[in-house]
């Protein structure tokens, strides 16, 4: 397992370097000069040159990359042009919010997806399966941002039981030690805070999680249908096992492998989806930060964020591989 | 363990009550005199109002003005009033020396006294190219400082008639010398202090800003003890915030939502023309070098119809770059909607509906209310007189880049803010050739504008700018469209005072 991890970590290095180069060049090639955005109407050529030099943009792209790359290796991703703060600090401050949101959304998606898939298989060829398929089709057809707007309208305005924006009520006086608010309040037993975080996170997590839940349902239900005609299931039936026990105890483990792989792939899309969802719900994660960075042409912040997304995707894929190996004995034993 | 039905019912009720208590919305948002919540339309990227992108972002100046004070302040109608300077003016006839009497008895939010040294340091820092202040061309003019009592005297490099208006404009904030020197730039971002009506209580980037009233504010303690700015950048979410009662005030929402919400029970609406105009830059290239084409393009636009149909009546049609609240506004300058005149002008240059003049017009889409739709409508109006314009949509960042390099297309839609109302910061920088923000660069106009930068007689200066506006309208060097109207929706329990600058200022709000 150690060798596997080391090999995958080594494989990630060229990927990250490639991402860094592509991003560095791309953000400088796309239209929009950050200095042009901040020059004042009366600025002289000297003023503009001074500004360009103040942000290190007076050097050629190769020199800029060398400076950025050297500093990035030591963990210094530069200073945000628009926010005037250390890029790494900004990202590390916001990443936990996105991870908690994406994690909750995935959890919701798995719980909903597995429940609906199992229920669909249990009531196969009966009315509940038709209803589940219809709900699933609807969840699959509607994108996350539409769900977000529907939730805001229904639970934020028509029946105002949920907060519409933010991660937590701004009036709450509580000093967090980490940026993992949800986890920290849980571990510190601050359940009132936890409840507030939960109510703020529920709608964005549901909006993000519903399309993934639909995918899990569809794939898992299909896998369960295939598993349920296998010989070992027939044997279980002969032994007199109940239908639910057969599904949960015998078929689900084997059927879960394709669904797990797909969940891993979809998780990366889900993290990408946080950009829009965080904006709609004013949720202070890296997605929201990314939108501002792009609007302001904040080159150091854009670079830092994309490298972070790349690392996140590599880590997620690695985790999925490990879980896949744990579930599938054929992989464990070569 | 034994379960009874009674115990189950009691336990369930208890659990339900706990969940309800936990899940219930904190409804402190509705204004009660102590606290107010504002669903704000943009994020606050940085706490230093004097450097970088934030310093020149007009949409966040209201937040800065809640925490910091400017050298000179502005009333809601844009007229100037004392800020941290009580008196100011030129000290000599040549107007190359100024005096500034610094307000006494003011304290910083950390309790330390505000001094004339803070004023001197702030101005020197603003002029220092190393700080990255984008308005150095103004502050670099201040050369030699001397302090006597509460009076600061400064020798100027040259006379600048708009120097004092600039002291109420972008980057003109007084910063705490000792505190900033001690904590540094990063420390200041984490814990900013000012002398303003509100003190920063808690700030989370991209999430919210919580302010508490400054009990020692020199201008009187603000009516609300606590103000929360929720950064809700999505317009539909802002509508939901104020409609659900989670926020008391919001702004910059679609006009149709404004019309709906302002009629709802418990809510009120305000629409104020603000110091922001929509315009079409014309570039002195290609067919735009033909005066007939320029004037025909202007006469063919029915601005009243655009405001009425696209902006639901929320806009003020204008014919110069000076809005009615600006110093050099001249109501007698009218271009007028006259499509027949457009056809005649175009015919004189050999164009007709069958043989239209062709050029490109660039616009943003969604950056300003109905920007793309407006340009679509204008292109439709142009088509009827013999102008075939091709629309190119770009991002605002691209517009800045093209404008800075003077490579915009023949026509380009843009909005121009000028919250100090000085003609030099509207017509001046938009139309004077050497300005990096101008698009029309011709010697005739530069020769008219040039002397006005140094005109010492204020009446002559304003008259000069009015003459420039008239000349621009006659020559058709730019197409001003309309002054924007800012929609604000608020709880009927709050009195909101709109500011023509467009800044939403919580210290001007009071319980109704």
């Amino acid at each position: 397992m150690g060798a596997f991890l080391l090999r995958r970590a080594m494989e990630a290095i060229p990927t990250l370097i490639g991402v860094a180069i592509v991003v560095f060049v791309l953000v400088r090639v796309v239209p929009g000069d950050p200095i042009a955005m901040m020059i004042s109407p009366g600025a002289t050529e000297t003023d503009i040159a001074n500004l360009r030099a103040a942000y290190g943009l007076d050097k050629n792209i190769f020199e800029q990359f060398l400076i950025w790359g050297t500093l990035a290796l030591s963990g210094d991703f530069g200073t945000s042009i628009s926010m005037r703060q250390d890029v790494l600090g900004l990202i590390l401050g916001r990443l936990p919010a996105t991870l908690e949101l994406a994690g909750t959304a995935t959890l919701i998606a798995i719980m909903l997806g597995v429940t609906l898939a199992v229920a669909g298989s249990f009531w196969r060829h009966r009315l509940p399966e038709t209803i589940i398929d219809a709900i699933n089709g609807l969840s699959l057809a509607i994108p996350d941002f539409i769900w977000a707007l529907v939730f805001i309208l229904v639970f934020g305005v028509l029946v105002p039981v949920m907060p519409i924006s933010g991660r937590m009520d701004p009036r709450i006086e509580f000093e967090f030690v980490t940026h993992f608010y949800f986890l920290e309040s849980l571990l510190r037993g601050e359940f009132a805070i936890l409840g507030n975080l939960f109510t703020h996170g529920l709608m964005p997590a549901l909006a993000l999680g519903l399309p993934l839940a639909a995918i899990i349902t569809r794939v898992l239900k299909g896998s369960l249908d295939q598993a349920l005609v296998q010989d070992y299931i027939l044997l279980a039936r002969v032994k007199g096992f109940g239908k639910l026990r057969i599904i949960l105890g015998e078929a689900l483990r084997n059927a879960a492998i394709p669904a797990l792989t797909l969940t891993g792939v979809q998780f990366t899309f889900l993290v990408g989806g946080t950009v829009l969802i965080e904006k709609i719900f004013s949720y202070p994660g890296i997605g929201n930060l990314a939108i501002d960075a792009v609007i302001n042409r904040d080159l150091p912040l854009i670079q830092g964020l994309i490298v972070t997304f790349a690392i996140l995707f590599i880590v997620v894929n690695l985790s999925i591989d490990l879980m896949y190996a744990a579930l599938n004995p054929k992989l464990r034993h070569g | 363990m034994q379960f009874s039905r009674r115990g189950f019912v009691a336990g369930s009720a208890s659990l339900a009550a706990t969940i309800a208590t936990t899940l219930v919305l904190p409804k402190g948002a509705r204004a009660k005199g102590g606290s107010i919540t504002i669903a704000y339309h943009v994020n606050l990227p940085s706490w230093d109002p004097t450097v970088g992108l934030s310093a020149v972002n007009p949409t966040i100046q209201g937040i800065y003005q809640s925490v910091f004070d400017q050298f000179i302040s502005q009333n809601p109608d844009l007229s100037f009033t004392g800020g941290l300077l009580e008196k100011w003016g030129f000290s000599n006839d040549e107007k190359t020396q100024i005096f500034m009497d610094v307000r006494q008895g003011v304290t910083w939010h950390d309790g330390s006294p505000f001094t004339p040294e803070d004023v001197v340091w702030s101005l020197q820092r603003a002029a220092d190219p190393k700080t990255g202040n984008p308005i150095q061309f103004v502050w670099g003019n201040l050369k030699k400082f001397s302090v006597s009592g509460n009076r600061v005297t400064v020798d100027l490099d040259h006379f600048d008639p708009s120097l004092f208006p600039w002291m109420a404009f972008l980057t003109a904030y007084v910063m705490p010398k000792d505190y900033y020197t001690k904590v540094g730039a990063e420390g200041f971002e984490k814990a900013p202090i000012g002398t303003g009506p509100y003190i920063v209580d808690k700030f989370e980037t991209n999430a919210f800003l919580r302010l508490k009233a400054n009990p020692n504010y020199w201008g009187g303690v603000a009516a609300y003890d606590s103000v929360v700015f929720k950064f809700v950048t999505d317009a539909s979410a802002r509508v939901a915030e104020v409609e659900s009662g989670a926020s008391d005030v919001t702004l910059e929402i679609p006009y149709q939502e404004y019309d709906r919400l302002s009629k709802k029970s418990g809510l009120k609406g305000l629409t104020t023309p603000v110091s922001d105009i929509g315009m079409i830059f014309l570039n002195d290239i290609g067919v735009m070098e033909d005066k007939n084409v320029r004037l025909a393009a202007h006469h063919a636009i029915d601005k009243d119809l655009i405001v009425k149909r696209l902006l639901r009546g929320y806009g003020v049609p204008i014919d110069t770059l000076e809005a009615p609240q600006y110093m050099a506004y001249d109501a007698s300058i009218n271009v007028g909607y006259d499509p027949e005149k457009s056809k005649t002008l175009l015919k004189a240059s050999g164009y007709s509906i069958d043989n239209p003049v062709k050029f490109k017009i660039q616009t943003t889409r969604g950056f300003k209310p109905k920007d793309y739709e407006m340009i679509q409508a204008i292109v439709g109006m142009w088509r009827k007189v013999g102008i075939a314009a091709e629309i190119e949509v770009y991002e605002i960042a691209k517009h800045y880049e093209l404008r800075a390099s003077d490579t915009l297309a023949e026509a380009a839609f843009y909005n121009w803010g000028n919250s100090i109302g000085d003609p030099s910061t509207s017509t001046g920088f938009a139309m004077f050739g050497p300005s990096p923000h101008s698009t029309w660069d011709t010697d005739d106009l530069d020769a008219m504008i040039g002397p006005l930068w140094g005109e010492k007689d204020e009446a002559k200066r304003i008259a000069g700018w009015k003459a420039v506006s008239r000349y621009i309208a006659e020559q058709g060097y730019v197409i001003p469209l309309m002054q924007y109207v800012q929609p604000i929706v608020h709880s009927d329990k709050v009195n909101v005072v709109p500011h023509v600058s467009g800044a939403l200022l919580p210290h001007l709000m009071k319980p109704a």
Side-chain angles (χ1 to χ4, degrees), chain A residues 242-255:
Chain A
K243 196 172 181 183
L244 191 61
R245 186 178 165 184
I246 290 172
I247 292 172
L248 294 177
E250 306 295 327
L252 188 60
R253 188 183 167 98
N254 286 332

mmCIF file with all atom_site columns, all heavy atoms in Angstrom, chain A residues 242-255:
data_model
loop_
_atom_site.group_PDB
_atom_site.id
_atom_site.type_symbol
_atom_site.label_atom_id
_atom_site.label_alt_id
_atom_site.label_comp_id
_atom_site.label_asym_id
_atom_site.label_entity_id
_atom_site.label_seq_id
_atom_site.pdbx_PDB_ins_code
_atom_site.Cartn_x
_atom_site.Cartn_y
_atom_site.Cartn_z
_atom_site.occupancy
_atom_site.B_iso_or_equiv
_atom_site.pdbx_formal_charge
_atom_site.auth_seq_id
_atom_site.auth_comp_id
_atom_site.auth_asym_id
_atom_site.auth_atom_id
_atom_site.pdbx_PDB_model_num
ATOM 1   N N   . GLY A 1 242 ? -34.342 -13.249 3.434  1.00 0.00 ? 242 GLY A N   1
ATOM 2   C CA  . GLY A 1 242 ? -35.355 -12.282 3.007  1.00 0.00 ? 242 GLY A CA  1
ATOM 3   C C   . GLY A 1 242 ? -34.817 -11.397 1.893  1.00 0.00 ? 242 GLY A C   1
ATOM 4   O O   . GLY A 1 242 ? -33.590 -11.280 1.704  1.00 0.00 ? 242 GLY A O   1
ATOM 5   N N   . LYS A 1 243 ? -35.732 -10.708 1.183  1.00 0.00 ? 243 LYS A N   1
ATOM 6   C CA  . LYS A 1 243 ? -35.327 -9.912  0.019  1.00 0.00 ? 243 LYS A CA  1
ATOM 7   C C   . LYS A 1 243 ? -34.397 -8.758  0.422  1.00 0.00 ? 243 LYS A C   1
ATOM 8   O O   . LYS A 1 243 ? -33.367 -8.491  -0.223 1.00 0.00 ? 243 LYS A O   1
ATOM 9   C CB  . LYS A 1 243 ? -36.589 -9.368  -0.671 1.00 0.00 ? 243 LYS A CB  1
ATOM 10  C CG  . LYS A 1 243 ? -36.341 -8.859  -2.059 1.00 0.00 ? 243 LYS A CG  1
ATOM 11  C CD  . LYS A 1 243 ? -37.655 -8.523  -2.733 1.00 0.00 ? 243 LYS A CD  1
ATOM 12  C CE  . LYS A 1 243 ? -37.419 -8.036  -4.140 1.00 0.00 ? 243 LYS A CE  1
ATOM 13  N NZ  . LYS A 1 243 ? -38.674 -7.634  -4.787 1.00 0.00 ? 243 LYS A NZ  1
ATOM 14  N N   . LEU A 1 244 ? -34.800 -8.086  1.511  1.00 0.00 ? 244 LEU A N   1
ATOM 15  C CA  . LEU A 1 244 ? -33.992 -6.933  1.945  1.00 0.00 ? 244 LEU A CA  1
ATOM 16  C C   . LEU A 1 244 ? -32.602 -7.379  2.393  1.00 0.00 ? 244 LEU A C   1
ATOM 17  O O   . LEU A 1 244 ? -31.592 -6.743  2.101  1.00 0.00 ? 244 LEU A O   1
ATOM 18  C CB  . LEU A 1 244 ? -34.722 -6.193  3.082  1.00 0.00 ? 244 LEU A CB  1
ATOM 19  C CG  . LEU A 1 244 ? -34.143 -4.836  3.449  1.00 0.00 ? 244 LEU A CG  1
ATOM 20  C CD1 . LEU A 1 244 ? -34.202 -3.871  2.266  1.00 0.00 ? 244 LEU A CD1 1
ATOM 21  C CD2 . LEU A 1 244 ? -34.883 -4.233  4.644  1.00 0.00 ? 244 LEU A CD2 1
ATOM 22  N N   . ARG A 1 245 ? -32.548 -8.510  3.101  1.00 0.00 ? 245 ARG A N   1
ATOM 23  C CA  . ARG A 1 245 ? -31.261 -9.028  3.571  1.00 0.00 ? 245 ARG A CA  1
ATOM 24  C C   . ARG A 1 245 ? -30.364 -9.408  2.394  1.00 0.00 ? 245 ARG A C   1
ATOM 25  O O   . ARG A 1 245 ? -29.154 -9.219  2.421  1.00 0.00 ? 245 ARG A O   1
ATOM 26  C CB  . ARG A 1 245 ? -31.498 -10.230 4.487  1.00 0.00 ? 245 ARG A CB  1
ATOM 27  C CG  . ARG A 1 245 ? -30.204 -10.719 5.116  1.00 0.00 ? 245 ARG A CG  1
ATOM 28  C CD  . ARG A 1 245 ? -30.429 -11.869 6.055  1.00 0.00 ? 245 ARG A CD  1
ATOM 29  N NE  . ARG A 1 245 ? -29.136 -12.514 6.332  1.00 0.00 ? 245 ARG A NE  1
ATOM 30  C CZ  . ARG A 1 245 ? -29.028 -13.598 7.067  1.00 0.00 ? 245 ARG A CZ  1
ATOM 31  N NH1 . ARG A 1 245 ? -30.089 -14.163 7.583  1.00 0.00 ? 245 ARG A NH1 1
ATOM 32  N NH2 . ARG A 1 245 ? -27.840 -14.137 7.275  1.00 0.00 ? 245 ARG A NH2 1
ATOM 33  N N   . ILE A 1 246 ? -31.000 -9.973  1.368  1.00 0.00 ? 246 ILE A N   1
ATOM 34  C CA  . ILE A 1 246 ? -30.220 -10.354 0.172  1.00 0.00 ? 246 ILE A CA  1
ATOM 35  C C   . ILE A 1 246 ? -29.619 -9.117  -0.493 1.00 0.00 ? 246 ILE A C   1
ATOM 36  O O   . ILE A 1 246 ? -28.431 -9.088  -0.834 1.00 0.00 ? 246 ILE A O   1
ATOM 37  C CB  . ILE A 1 246 ? -31.103 -11.132 -0.832 1.00 0.00 ? 246 ILE A CB  1
ATOM 38  C CG1 . ILE A 1 246 ? -31.425 -12.521 -0.264 1.00 0.00 ? 246 ILE A CG1 1
ATOM 39  C CG2 . ILE A 1 246 ? -30.427 -11.251 -2.194 1.00 0.00 ? 246 ILE A CG2 1
ATOM 40  C CD1 . ILE A 1 246 ? -32.436 -13.302 -1.080 1.00 0.00 ? 246 ILE A CD1 1
ATOM 41  N N   . ILE A 1 247 ? -30.485 -8.082  -0.598 1.00 0.00 ? 247 ILE A N   1
ATOM 42  C CA  . ILE A 1 247 ? -29.987 -6.857  -1.265 1.00 0.00 ? 247 ILE A CA  1
ATOM 43  C C   . ILE A 1 247 ? -28.865 -6.222  -0.438 1.00 0.00 ? 247 ILE A C   1
ATOM 44  O O   . ILE A 1 247 ? -27.791 -5.913  -0.957 1.00 0.00 ? 247 ILE A O   1
ATOM 45  C CB  . ILE A 1 247 ? -31.149 -5.848  -1.479 1.00 0.00 ? 247 ILE A CB  1
ATOM 46  C CG1 . ILE A 1 247 ? -32.144 -6.400  -2.499 1.00 0.00 ? 247 ILE A CG1 1
ATOM 47  C CG2 . ILE A 1 247 ? -30.605 -4.489  -1.952 1.00 0.00 ? 247 ILE A CG2 1
ATOM 48  C CD1 . ILE A 1 247 ? -33.408 -5.574  -2.639 1.00 0.00 ? 247 ILE A CD1 1
ATOM 49  N N   . LEU A 1 248 ? -29.157 -6.024  0.858  1.00 0.00 ? 248 LEU A N   1
ATOM 50  C CA  . LEU A 1 248 ? -28.186 -5.291  1.688  1.00 0.00 ? 248 LEU A CA  1
ATOM 51  C C   . LEU A 1 248 ? -26.961 -6.138  2.024  1.00 0.00 ? 248 LEU A C   1
ATOM 52  O O   . LEU A 1 248 ? -25.830 -5.662  2.015  1.00 0.00 ? 248 LEU A O   1
ATOM 53  C CB  . LEU A 1 248 ? -28.854 -4.820  2.986  1.00 0.00 ? 248 LEU A CB  1
ATOM 54  C CG  . LEU A 1 248 ? -29.954 -3.769  2.837  1.00 0.00 ? 248 LEU A CG  1
ATOM 55  C CD1 . LEU A 1 248 ? -30.581 -3.443  4.194  1.00 0.00 ? 248 LEU A CD1 1
ATOM 56  C CD2 . LEU A 1 248 ? -29.411 -2.493  2.208  1.00 0.00 ? 248 LEU A CD2 1
ATOM 57  N N   . GLY A 1 249 ? -27.212 -7.406  2.331  1.00 0.00 ? 249 GLY A N   1
ATOM 58  C CA  . GLY A 1 249 ? -26.120 -8.246  2.827  1.00 0.00 ? 249 GLY A CA  1
ATOM 59  C C   . GLY A 1 249 ? -25.320 -8.938  1.738  1.00 0.00 ? 249 GLY A C   1
ATOM 60  O O   . GLY A 1 249 ? -24.130 -9.213  1.922  1.00 0.00 ? 249 GLY A O   1
ATOM 61  N N   . GLU A 1 250 ? -25.939 -9.228  0.616  1.00 0.00 ? 250 GLU A N   1
ATOM 62  C CA  . GLU A 1 250 ? -25.248 -10.018 -0.396 1.00 0.00 ? 250 GLU A CA  1
ATOM 63  C C   . GLU A 1 250 ? -24.920 -9.215  -1.675 1.00 0.00 ? 250 GLU A C   1
ATOM 64  O O   . GLU A 1 250 ? -23.788 -9.238  -2.157 1.00 0.00 ? 250 GLU A O   1
ATOM 65  C CB  . GLU A 1 250 ? -26.118 -11.232 -0.798 1.00 0.00 ? 250 GLU A CB  1
ATOM 66  C CG  . GLU A 1 250 ? -26.576 -12.097 0.355  1.00 0.00 ? 250 GLU A CG  1
ATOM 67  C CD  . GLU A 1 250 ? -25.419 -12.803 1.068  1.00 0.00 ? 250 GLU A CD  1
ATOM 68  O OE1 . GLU A 1 250 ? -24.434 -13.136 0.381  1.00 0.00 ? 250 GLU A OE1 1
ATOM 69  O OE2 . GLU A 1 250 ? -25.498 -12.989 2.302  1.00 0.00 ? 250 GLU A OE2 1
ATOM 70  N N   . ALA A 1 251 ? -25.921 -8.509  -2.198 1.00 0.00 ? 251 ALA A N   1
ATOM 71  C CA  . ALA A 1 251 ? -25.744 -7.879  -3.515 1.00 0.00 ? 251 ALA A CA  1
ATOM 72  C C   . ALA A 1 251 ? -25.057 -6.515  -3.449 1.00 0.00 ? 251 ALA A C   1
ATOM 73  O O   . ALA A 1 251 ? -24.290 -6.141  -4.342 1.00 0.00 ? 251 ALA A O   1
ATOM 74  C CB  . ALA A 1 251 ? -27.103 -7.735  -4.199 1.00 0.00 ? 251 ALA A CB  1
ATOM 75  N N   . LEU A 1 252 ? -25.337 -5.760  -2.386 1.00 0.00 ? 252 LEU A N   1
ATOM 76  C CA  . LEU A 1 252 ? -24.918 -4.359  -2.355 1.00 0.00 ? 252 LEU A CA  1
ATOM 77  C C   . LEU A 1 252 ? -23.406 -4.178  -2.451 1.00 0.00 ? 252 LEU A C   1
ATOM 78  O O   . LEU A 1 252 ? -22.914 -3.297  -3.163 1.00 0.00 ? 252 LEU A O   1
ATOM 79  C CB  . LEU A 1 252 ? -25.455 -3.694  -1.078 1.00 0.00 ? 252 LEU A CB  1
ATOM 80  C CG  . LEU A 1 252 ? -25.261 -2.180  -1.001 1.00 0.00 ? 252 LEU A CG  1
ATOM 81  C CD1 . LEU A 1 252 ? -25.947 -1.465  -2.153 1.00 0.00 ? 252 LEU A CD1 1
ATOM 82  C CD2 . LEU A 1 252 ? -25.792 -1.638  0.331  1.00 0.00 ? 252 LEU A CD2 1
ATOM 83  N N   . ARG A 1 253 ? -22.637 -5.017  -1.748 1.00 0.00 ? 253 ARG A N   1
ATOM 84  C CA  . ARG A 1 253 ? -21.184 -4.853  -1.715 1.00 0.00 ? 253 ARG A CA  1
ATOM 85  C C   . ARG A 1 253 ? -20.587 -4.943  -3.124 1.00 0.00 ? 253 ARG A C   1
ATOM 86  O O   . ARG A 1 253 ? -19.761 -4.122  -3.520 1.00 0.00 ? 253 ARG A O   1
ATOM 87  C CB  . ARG A 1 253 ? -20.573 -5.903  -0.795 1.00 0.00 ? 253 ARG A CB  1
ATOM 88  C CG  . ARG A 1 253 ? -19.089 -5.694  -0.542 1.00 0.00 ? 253 ARG A CG  1
ATOM 89  C CD  . ARG A 1 253 ? -18.539 -6.824  0.328  1.00 0.00 ? 253 ARG A CD  1
ATOM 90  N NE  . ARG A 1 253 ? -17.102 -6.797  0.314  1.00 0.00 ? 253 ARG A NE  1
ATOM 91  C CZ  . ARG A 1 253 ? -16.356 -6.260  1.251  1.00 0.00 ? 253 ARG A CZ  1
ATOM 92  N NH1 . ARG A 1 253 ? -16.918 -5.671  2.273  1.00 0.00 ? 253 ARG A NH1 1
ATOM 93  N NH2 . ARG A 1 253 ? -15.044 -6.291  1.165  1.00 0.00 ? 253 ARG A NH2 1
ATOM 94  N N   . ASN A 1 254 ? -21.006 -5.944  -3.871 1.00 0.00 ? 254 ASN A N   1
ATOM 95  C CA  . ASN A 1 254 ? -20.487 -6.087  -5.237 1.00 0.00 ? 254 ASN A CA  1
ATOM 96  C C   . ASN A 1 254 ? -21.014 -5.004  -6.166 1.00 0.00 ? 254 ASN A C   1
ATOM 97  O O   . ASN A 1 254 ? -20.297 -4.493  -7.022 1.00 0.00 ? 254 ASN A O   1
ATOM 98  C CB  . ASN A 1 254 ? -20.859 -7.465  -5.802 1.00 0.00 ? 254 ASN A CB  1
ATOM 99  C CG  . ASN A 1 254 ? -20.016 -8.571  -5.168 1.00 0.00 ? 254 ASN A CG  1
ATOM 100 O OD1 . ASN A 1 254 ? -18.880 -8.313  -4.756 1.00 0.00 ? 254 ASN A OD1 1
ATOM 101 N ND2 . ASN A 1 254 ? -20.575 -9.757  -5.067 1.00 0.00 ? 254 ASN A ND2 1
ATOM 102 N N   . ALA A 1 255 ? -22.295 -4.667  -5.961 1.00 0.00 ? 255 ALA A N   1
ATOM 103 C CA  . ALA A 1 255 ? -22.911 -3.669  -6.844 1.00 0.00 ? 255 ALA A CA  1
ATOM 104 C C   . ALA A 1 255 ? -22.362 -2.275  -6.581 1.00 0.00 ? 255 ALA A C   1
ATOM 105 O O   . ALA A 1 255 ? -22.462 -1.400  -7.451 1.00 0.00 ? 255 ALA A O   1
ATOM 106 C CB  . ALA A 1 255 ? -24.424 -3.676  -6.644 1.00 0.00 ? 255 ALA A CB  1
#
